[in-house]
Structure formats: structure tokens, C-alpha cells
Amino acid sequence: MSQSPRSSRGHSPRSHSERKHDDRSRSKSKEDTTRKVCYVGGLGSKPDEKALEKLLEQSGKVERMEFIRNPSSDECRGFAFVTFYSHEDAVKAVNDLNDTDFNDRKITV
């Protein structure tokens, strides 16, 4: 039975240009995602999620919000990651909303 040559890691060998193209594609998609994601801190353990979304949407359309929770209590750990539909909206949120009052707290965006 004939098998194609494999590298020491068990993968089929690829040309340098194929690897380079894969690396560029992977890094571009990662950059596109992270440029639209903002850290929002200072939320406290029970943030008003709908009110936060309403505040953030003053800067642009929110794609999703992920509140980071304590696994044992399921309470918010005081911060979230918010993904906007565009990089420009994310930048606008940082510029407009950083150090803003939200639920009697100053939030960091």
C-alpha cells in the first residue's frame, strides 16, 4: 500500500507558500475578530445586561455580549466582552464610553 510522505508530526508535507497562505488567513481572521471586541469592566456582580446593551448601542450595533461568570456561583465577575459588528463601532465605544457611569459605577471600555 502506497502512502504519501508525512512529516515528523504526522501531517502531509505542504509547500512553503501553502503554509504562508494558511498563516495569513488565520491571522487576518483573528485580527478581524479582536478588533471588534471590547473589554467592559467595573460592572459589579449583577449588571443590568439590557441597560448595558442599550448604553453600548449608542456607539454602534452590538453583535454579542459575553458576561464572564464565576463557575461556582454563576455571578458576573464584573466584566464582559462585547463584540460589535464593525471595528469603527468598537473604537467609538472605547472613545465615547470609557470611564462612563453605569449602575452607580464607573465602567472601563
Side-chain angles (χ1 to χ4, degrees):
M1 184 185 311
S2 164
Q3 290 185 326
S4 63
R6 295 198 176 265
S7 71
S8 61
R9 291 186 192 170
H11 300 283
S12 298
R14 295 184 299 167
S15 72
H16 176 71
S17 63
E18 287 175 318
R19 285 191 306 271
K20 192 173 179 182
H21 174 72
D22 286 350
D23 292 342
R24 276 196 314 261
S25 297
R26 219 181 347 261
S27 70
K28 181 169 174 36
S29 65
K30 184 176 181 182
E31 287 173 12
D32 290 346
T33 301
T34 56
R35 288 182 185 173
K36 299 186 304 184
V37 176
C38 292
Y39 165 88
V40 181
L43 298 174
S45 61
K46 296 180 183 177
D48 182 339
E49 296 178 20
K50 288 187 187 279
L52 181 62
E53 184 173 14
K54 185 176 180 179
L55 175 69
L56 293 167
E57 288 201 334
Q58 293 174 9
S59 296
K61 191 168 181 185
V62 172
E63 185 175 331
R64 72 184 292 248
M65 298 191 313
E66 180 182 359
F67 292 84
I68 307 306
R69 302 195 176 280
N70 182 330
S72 60
S73 67
D74 202 39
E75 283 190 342
C76 181
R77 292 180 57 194
F79 64 98
F81 293 101
V82 178
T83 305
F84 288 88
Y85 276 96
S86 75
H87 168 72
E88 293 76 20
D89 290 347
V91 170
K92 187 172 182 343
V94 171
N95 292 333
D96 294 351
L97 300 175
N98 188 44
D99 211 26
T100 297
D101 287 324
F102 175 74
N103 286 352
D104 300 322
R105 298 172 162 266
K106 289 249 187 238
I107 60 170
T108 301
V109 180

